[in-house]
Amino acid sequence: MAPLNPASQEAIDRLRRYTPPPTAYGQVPLSRRAAVLILLYADLQGDLRVVITIRAKTLSSCKADTLSETAFQTARREACEEIGLPDINQPLPPPFSVEHLCELPANLAKTELVVRPCVALLHSFDPVTGANADPETELIPRLDALHQFFVHSTNHAIKPHSPNNKAQNAAVDKLTHQEETGQVQHYRVFGMTARIIVDAARVAFAREPEFEHNSHFGDEEMINNLRRLGRLSQVRRPGDELTREMMERAAKLS
């Protein structure tokens, strides 16, 4: 693959440096823990993309197996089961490898699952052997139910031009041209999936979206407040689902 362009390299460095605030993930019962993998990779121009399953609605099924399982282990295991990406204990076909970058603040699903987003970078160059590959032709097509989306600063979620970043501005202009000429296919990403990706982009590119969005990352405060109200217990009942009334009650505890 092409090396990361300057804007993408800066984004990856920010994700590597990111330290999330204290999380309630380890305090909730096993039955409430879930994790999801945000897998980034570089295209031939060095722009970052994120791999998303077309079955993103199954995000609520990415549950932890044991109390000792880390969020990254859960996310990698579920990615293996759902799309065929080798899990954390399995090798990828050379020259591919996965680097774990950071975890983001936990999000709260309507089904009262606490979901920990885990951000990772798919490398496709082996510095030892010199082997190089294009993820979009040699790995991703082998995986099931996938589409690729821009998570670069060229995405609508991020303010476009930056006065001091020529490489980034050129990437914005290129994507704009591709969109205008029909070379880019768009898919609608919504709900928790969209929110998690936007949060990852906010960290990576140190920018805020132009559209309305939550000012905070994740739902750590809401999770703690719900626990104070006796929610998120070990036993999950079929009817467990957050209502507006319950959310408003929890918000008043802040």
Side-chain angles (χ1 to χ4, degrees), residues 60-73:
S60 62
S61 68
C62 306
K63 294 183 290 187
D65 268 355
T66 66
L67 289 172
S68 62
E69 187 176 61
T70 67
F72 258 114
Q73 288 173 328

Side-chain angles (χ1 to χ4, degrees), residues 204-225:
F205 297 102
R207 294 181 173 193
E208 293 301 310
E210 293 182 319
F211 52 78
E212 184 178 354
H213 67 288
N214 291 330
S215 60
H216 56 281
F217 289 83
D219 298 303
E220 296 285 0
E221 185 175 14
M222 179 61 70
I223 292 167
N224 284 323
N225 288 349

Side-chain angles (χ1 to χ4, degrees), residues 28-33 67 230-237 240:
V28 299
L30 177 62
S31 62
R32 303 291 179 178
R33 298 186 194 181
L67 289 172
R231 305 293 293 222
L232 309 181
S233 61
Q234 173 66 40
V235 179
R236 296 190 67 221
R237 297 174 294 274
D240 277 355

Side-chain angles (χ1 to χ4, degrees), residues 35-46:
V36 62
L37 185 69
I38 304 173
L39 184 63
L40 307 177
Y41 70 95
D43 64 14
L44 293 178
Q45 286 72 47

Side-chain angles (χ1 to χ4, degrees), residues 142-160:
R142 303 182 195 176
L143 307 181
D144 295 330
L146 294 184
H147 285 295
Q148 299 86 49
F149 297 80
F150 284 102
V151 117
H152 190 265
S153 53
T154 53
N155 191 285
H156 297 309
I158 305 299
K159 294 179 181 178

Side-chain angles (χ1 to χ4, degrees), residues 76 80 84-98 139 142:
R76 289 291 301 273
C80 178
L85 180 75
D87 73 16
I88 203 167
N89 298 312
Q90 298 173 325
L92 275 77
F96 296 104
S97 63
V98 173
L139 178 64
R142 303 182 195 176

